[in-house]
Amino acid sequence: MDIQLDPARDDLPLMANTSHILVKHYVLDLDVDFESQVIEGTIVLFLEDGNRFKKQNSSIEEACQSESNKACKFGMPEPCHVPVTNARTFSSEMEYNDFAICSKGEKDTSDKDGNHDNQEHASGISSSKYCCDTGNHGSEDFLLVLDCCDLSVLKVEEVDVAAVPGMEKFTRSPELTVVSEELRNQIVRELVTLPANRWREQLDYYARCSQAPGCGELLFDTDTWSLQIRKTGAQTATDFPHAVRIWYKTKPEGRSVTWTSDQSGRPCVYTVGSPINNRALFPCQEPPVAMSTWQATVRAAASFVVLMSGENSAKPTQLWEGCSSWYYYVTMPMPASTFTIAVGCWTEVKTETCSSADLATERPFSPSEADFRHVGVCSHMEYPCRFQNGSATTQEIIPHRVFAPVCLTGACQETLVQLIPRCLSAAHSVLGTHPFSRLDVLIVPANFPSLGMASPHIMFLSQSILTGGSHLCGTRLCHEIAHAWFGLALGARDWTEEWLSEGFASHLEDVFWAAAQQLTPHEAREQQELRACLRWRRLQDETQSSPEEMQVLRPSKDKTGHTSDSGASVIKHGLNPEKIFMQVHYLKGYFLLRFLAERLGDETYFSFLRKFVHAFHGQLILSQDFLQMLLENIPEEKRLELSVENIYQDWLESSGIPKVTKWIRVNRRPRKRKRRAREEVFEKLLPDQLVLLLEHLLEQKTLSPRTLQSLQRTYHLQDQDAEVRHRWCELIVKHKFTKAYKSVERFLQEDQAMGVYLYGELMVSEDARQQQLARRCFERTREQMDRSSVQVVADMLF
């Protein structure tokens, strides 16, 4: 079953057998050890076999196609702390070291290649590699297959949920006198299907069950991409234990976590939106259809702050001197890939100008917002839904916190903390109810490979957005806020359809940012046309320089969303490191949506978008779900030759830029704003205007050092935002402006999220001094750089 893939060209396998069995809830109990760069502990999986959830999925799909959907009428969860005490799943033999107070698991029984098996025990359980048939399930025991990579799995056991006091309420008998596998599974079935208004009770029982004793070890085996678990005699998913505890530890080189130092030189660790998602953080079901909830207790040295995807604003609980515990939970089912954690010596950045009352603004419901509130039409599986909560629908600004290394708190104070309320309010004015109840924003270390990443309740932002004024910070903040709706609350059922997340976020970032700036309609249109012009140029560059097969937004075509009988599938080009740095799916998706908005008119389009969000939030979609509903809402006279098939053919299933010019209207030159004086036109340009100016200058064959020096002095280019400075560095490299090479070195070290392309420019020039500069910068930063960045840059340099 082991699959060896070439990371440079292969698809990413999703191995979990989600068609047979689903994880409904994860309970993590973890210790973070910075000395060994390991996260270790246990994860308890609460499972539901295929028969029940297939019926649920079927009923949900039917509901999505009907206007008479059943209402979900329950209140919002409020922050609470489930009392997870020092009673833990770890055995009493465990010891703790003095550095990070991390528990040490049982003796590591791993072999050298990282695969782990059960050791033989007195109970007679033998190593799974001798008796686990992973290929034929006919008369063999049922296999639970989880996505797993770069993990040391130490032990797997069934959890005796019947041993938890009070669990008899989930059975048909008043007393648990005779405990059987069937009874334990019945308890879990009842627990995972509790109605949403009992979410507090459900979390409490999950926590108690996760600490229950084991009742028998399970056979397991691992290979490069999966963990396979079985129980002798359990031949179907229905018979398989529904509560399973896995003892494991991460590896320092694991591809889901980055161990590094922050900008203040303090150790930290964070999860990355890597090609393999979270499978090197915990064994899980990675396919997006595996929607689950989770709760986690994380222990670390008391000097560290633990941030995580969670509905509650967690505070540390001191366990003993030098060790703190943090607890988070999520009640909205989400793909496991959206789980995010960051542990470091972060400092909370507070604003003096924003009172606590401002963080949860509520205002009276006004008739003009009638389309924000569609009570009684939720189509998702049952959970405590904000769209059904009256106060949540009018909450313009959700509670939020900002965290950063201490050396960047001043920069955050100046710009970021001032922008968050404005951008949140702007997003609400466009799309309505915020899908999530709160938000943490973290400035991540310099090696973070992009400008931002959104996860439930938490957002990572690059330090690159903090310099050069508010424009880049505001636009990126708006982009990540947009993902709360498109990408998180409403996700793609097939991960190859990234445009459903990134295209929407790119389009909405301009709309949100215009609203946050309170621009007039005319000013907003001018700004958006200028940004469309810049994106058009970028799209042209990308389509000329990237492989054609990676420019297709729907590469699986009519097989999009299809899986094998077990639920396993692959993500096209998922392991290609270059894919992380491509923006075709952002840009082509953006231009498609821009065209559709122009065809309908903004008022009609955004009214439809709110309707679409309300119809599909809490669910996974494919391209046709959006396109079919949209076309149904376009008046016949505006539809013309538009069809789902035409859009597929012109936009989603072909490489390059659509050849039909009717789709895009960005070729006209953006209108310039009127200026009072001639010198203002020359000396004061907006960041996007500066970017466009520098891009035009990049097209010139020669520019004299005097001209470049004048540009630098006039526009203070070294002090502009990262987008401007990136183009300035390109000019420096192209024209060998040696006096400014320090600016290139600084950019490569401080703006790693954007610097990869510059390495290529330095090497292509075939100038010995520039190549030496590139290699010198790479050697300084490669140990801290993101793994994909290292691979791509090394290919350029050597």
Side-chain angles (χ1 to χ4, degrees):
M1 195 166 181
D2 199 358
I3 300 176
Q4 299 297 328
L5 298 172
D6 179 358
R9 68 170 189 268
D10 280 310
D11 304 330
L12 174 69
L14 301 176
M15 306 291 285
N17 53 340
T18 54
S19 294
H20 299 150
I21 195 164
L22 277 181
V23 179
K24 302 299 289 183
H25 189 77
Y26 298 94
V27 180
L28 297 98
D29 192 286
L30 303 173
D31 289 273
V32 181
D33 185 346
F34 282 95
E35 188 173 46
S36 61
Q37 295 192 340
V38 162
I39 299 173
E40 66 177 309
T42 64
I43 183 168
V44 177
L45 283 56
F46 293 87
L47 301 155
E48 187 173 48
D49 59 79
N51 293 332
R52 182 187 295 268
F53 70 73
K54 281 179 182 174
K55 292 177 183 177
Q56 289 177 343
N57 288 346
S58 172
S59 63
I60 287 174
E61 287 178 10
E62 291 172 7
C64 289
Q65 300 168 3
S66 170
E67 291 296 326
S68 57
N69 295 321
K70 200 171 184 179
C72 46
K73 301 177 181 177
F74 14 85
M76 274 303 303
E78 298 174 1
C80 76
H81 182 87
V82 175
V84 181
T85 64
N86 289 341
R88 301 166 52 198
T89 54
F90 292 105
S91 66
S92 58
E93 293 88 4
M94 299 216 166
E95 298 175 356
Y96 305 91
N97 68 18
D98 294 327
F99 180 73
I101 323 296
C102 277
S103 62
K104 296 295 181 185
E106 295 181 350
K107 183 178 179 181
D108 190 340
T109 57
S110 63
D111 53 25
K112 290 182 180 179
D113 67 3
N115 292 339
H116 299 254
D117 302 287
N118 300 72
Q119 301 301 300
E120 295 187 8
H121 292 278
S123 61
I125 300 177
S126 61
S127 172
S128 61
K129 63 180 166 186
Y130 301 118
C131 57
C132 190
D133 183 356
T134 60
N136 177 17
H137 297 180
S139 60
E140 301 292 331
D141 296 330
F142 172 79
L143 276 179
L144 167 64
V145 181
L146 300 173
D147 294 297
C148 174
C149 182
D150 301 334
L151 291 177
S152 298
V153 178
L154 308 175
K155 183 170 73 172
V156 183
E157 64 182 356
E158 181 178 359
V159 179
D160 187 7
V161 295
V164 177
M167 298 309 288
E168 59 274 1
K169 69 167 65 176
F170 296 112
T171 68
R172 297 183 183 88
S173 57
E175 294 183 9
L176 300 179
T177 52
V178 180
V179 177
S180 63
E181 184 76 67
E182 183 179 353
L183 182 66
R184 284 190 286 265
N185 285 354
Q186 180 190 338
I187 290 172
V188 175
R189 287 191 197 100
E190 295 298 321
L191 178 57
V192 301
T193 55
L194 281 178
N197 59 4
R198 295 173 66 183
W199 66 271
R200 288 181 184 274
E201 178 186 5
Q202 186 181 47
L203 283 177
D204 182 44
Y205 275 111
Y206 278 139
R208 294 188 198 179
C209 288
S210 73
Q211 299 170 44
C215 55
E217 293 198 28
L218 301 176
L219 306 173
F220 73 91
D221 195 10
T222 60
D223 58 31
T224 303
W225 294 107
S226 70
L227 165 65
Q228 305 119 36
I229 305 170
R230 75 179 184 91
K231 179 177 181 178
T232 303
Q235 295 189 358
T236 68
T238 303
D239 301 329
F240 188 81
H242 283 26
V244 174
R245 180 184 295 123
I246 302 169
W247 304 64
Y248 76 98
K249 60 170 67 176
T250 64
K251 298 180 180 180
E253 68 275 14
R255 283 167 278 177
S256 297
V257 293
T258 295
W259 297 89
T260 186
S261 298
D262 67 19
Q263 294 84 340
S264 296
R266 303 295 299 275
C268 63
V269 61
Y270 63 89
T271 52
V272 289
S274 66
I276 67 166
N277 291 319
N278 278 326
R279 69 184 74 186
L281 177 64
F282 58 89
C284 56
Q285 292 183 327
E286 281 285 1
V289 295
M291 306 270 274
S292 59
T293 51
W294 57 76
Q295 61 197 104
T297 300
V298 180
R299 286 167 296 280
S303 57
F304 289 94
V305 172
V306 177
L307 302 176
M308 206 179 81
S309 305
E311 291 170 21
N312 55 316
S313 298
K315 301 294 183 183
T317 300
Q318 184 172 338
L319 298 180
W320 51 82
E321 186 176 357
C323 180
S324 294
S325 174
W326 300 70
Y327 169 78
Y328 289 91
Y329 65 86
V330 161
T331 61
M332 175 182 175
M334 303 282 292
S337 60
T338 64
F339 179 100
T340 302
I341 186 171
V343 184
C345 299
W346 324 120
T347 299
E348 185 172 358
V349 185
K350 297 187 178 180
T351 174
E352 298 174 0
T353 59
C354 188
S355 69
S356 58
D358 294 330
L359 299 182
T361 303
E362 295 181 10
R363 56 189 175 79
F365 183 76
S366 61
S368 63
E369 295 164 319
D371 57 348
F372 285 1
R373 188 168 174 164
H374 305 270
V375 175
V377 293
C378 287
S379 303
H380 52 68
M381 65 181 79
E382 193 177 6
Y383 67 83
C385 179
R386 282 177 58 83
F387 286 82
Q388 294 302 316
N389 181 277
S391 61
T393 61
T394 59
Q395 188 179 34
E396 294 181 24
I397 304 169
I398 55 175
H400 54 274
R401 305 182 296 181
V402 176
F403 292 87
V406 65
C407 65
L408 292 179
T409 55
C412 291
Q413 188 77 52
E414 288 178 17
T415 305
L416 179 60
V417 294
Q418 313 297 330
L419 287 175
I420 293 175
R422 289 162 51 188
C423 294
L424 287 171
S425 180
H428 180 273
S429 71
V430 177
L431 289 183
T433 307
H434 288 282
F436 300 101
S437 58
R438 68 170 204 96
L439 175 66
D440 280 341
V441 179
L442 172 66
I443 301 298
V444 282
N447 67 346
F448 188 65
S450 75
L451 288 179
M453 184 178 81
S455 300
H457 313 284
I458 186 170
M459 177 191 302
F460 291 171
L461 292 178
S462 166
Q463 65 177 23
S464 295
I465 69 158
L466 296 177
T467 57
S470 63
H471 180 73
L472 181 58
C473 185
T475 54
R476 195 66 205 191
L477 188 56
C478 286
H479 183 98
E480 304 306 335
I481 288 173
H483 277 312
W485 287 268
F486 290 93
L488 295 175
L490 195 158
R493 189 160 21 124
D494 187 318
W495 278 339
T496 60
E497 294 199 312
E498 294 168 271
W499 82 274
L500 288 170
S501 174
E502 299 300 351
F504 276 93
S506 298
H507 190 232
L508 287 167
E509 90 177 51
D510 291 358
V511 179
F512 290 178
W513 182 230
Q517 295 170 283
Q518 298 183 326
L519 300 183
T520 66
H522 175 73
E523 290 172 327
R525 186 165 57 254
E526 281 194 334
Q527 184 182 82
Q528 290 165 18
E529 285 183 359
L530 176 56
R531 292 178 65 75
C533 181
L534 290 170
R535 288 191 176 106
W536 181 250
R537 296 170 64 88
R538 202 174 307 150
L539 179 57
Q540 288 177 310
D541 288 344
E542 285 235 349
T543 53
Q544 291 170 11
S545 61
S546 59
E548 285 193 8
E549 65 270 16
M550 295 182 69
Q551 300 173 21
V552 179
L553 304 191
R554 196 169 178 263
S556 300
K557 298 187 178 180
D558 60 335
K559 296 188 185 313
T560 300
H562 288 198
T563 63
S564 69
D565 289 343
S566 72
S569 60
V570 297
I571 304 174
K572 282 282 187 183
H573 313 297
L575 288 174
N576 190 323
E578 294 183 12
K579 189 172 187 293
I580 296 173
F581 304 101
M582 291 183 60
Q583 291 192 319
V584 169
H585 46 287
Y586 290 70
L587 299 170
K588 286 179 71 173
Y590 159 81
F591 280 113
L592 171 57
L593 296 171
R594 179 177 166 84
F595 160 76
L596 294 171
E598 287 184 353
R599 175 66 69 92
L600 270 70
D602 281 353
E603 186 176 346
T604 301
Y605 175 77
F606 288 106
S607 177
F608 159 75
L609 209 56
R610 290 188 286 271
K611 182 178 178 182
F612 179 76
V613 164
H614 209 284
F616 284 96
H617 70 273
Q619 300 169 73
L620 302 170
I621 64 166
L622 298 173
S623 294
Q624 56 262 39
D625 297 317
F626 172 74
L627 296 173
Q628 287 170 357
M629 184 171 174
L630 177 76
L631 293 177
E632 289 170 3
N633 282 266
I634 295 181
E636 190 65 39
E637 65 274 12
K638 291 187 176 182
R639 196 176 308 171
L640 300 178
E641 71 277 24
L642 275 183
S643 68
V644 173
E645 291 71 26
N646 287 346
I647 295 174
Y648 280 169
Q649 181 178 346
D650 291 333
W651 281 99
L652 305 181
E653 295 180 356
S654 59
S655 61
I657 302 172
K659 298 177 177 61
V660 190
T661 56
K662 65 185 179 185
W663 292 106
I664 304 172
R665 302 174 186 174
V666 296
N667 293 326
R668 60 179 180 271
R669 190 182 300 273
R671 290 185 294 275
K672 295 180 180 178
R673 292 190 183 184
K674 292 182 180 179
R675 302 287 183 179
R676 292 185 216 169
R678 176 182 293 273
E679 62 270 17
E680 280 192 331
V681 174
F682 179 70
E683 293 186 2
K684 294 185 179 179
L685 296 178
L686 298 173
D688 285 336
Q689 293 171 325
L690 259 180
V691 169
L692 186 58
L693 169 64
L694 296 177
E695 288 194 355
H696 278 300
L697 291 175
L698 277 166
E699 295 170 0
Q700 302 300 311
K701 288 186 178 180
T702 59
L703 287 176
S704 69
R706 184 177 177 181
T707 300
L708 292 167
Q709 197 162 358
S710 178
L711 272 171
Q712 184 180 20
R713 184 175 57 249
T714 301
Y715 297 112
H716 308 285
L717 294 175
Q718 68 278 5
D719 300 321
Q720 297 290 342
D721 70 32
E723 290 279 10
V724 175
R725 286 187 286 111
H726 187 276
R727 272 65 172 194
W728 171 231
C729 288
E730 289 183 70
L731 273 176
I732 294 169
V733 173
K734 178 174 182 177
H735 299 290
K736 298 180 175 61
F737 185 37
T738 57
K739 287 184 178 180
Y741 278 3
K742 287 291 183 185
S743 294
V744 178
E745 290 193 45
R746 175 189 161 202
F747 194 93
L748 291 176
Q749 293 176 65
E750 296 181 6
D751 298 283
Q752 294 179 35
M754 303 174 68
V756 169
Y757 176 77
L758 275 180
Y759 281 104
E761 294 298 296
L762 287 164
M763 298 306 293
V764 167
S765 68
E766 297 186 356
D767 177 87
R769 185 171 175 181
Q770 289 193 359
Q771 292 184 346
Q772 186 181 15
L773 185 156
R775 292 191 175 103
R776 183 170 65 249
C777 288
F778 184 57
E779 287 307 313
R780 283 181 195 161
T781 56
R782 70 177 301 166
E783 291 303 316
Q784 297 293 320
M785 284 177 73
D786 166 75
R787 182 180 283 103
S788 294
S789 301
V790 169
Q791 188 172 342
V792 171
V793 174
D795 288 344
M796 295 176 181
L797 268 56
F798 306 109

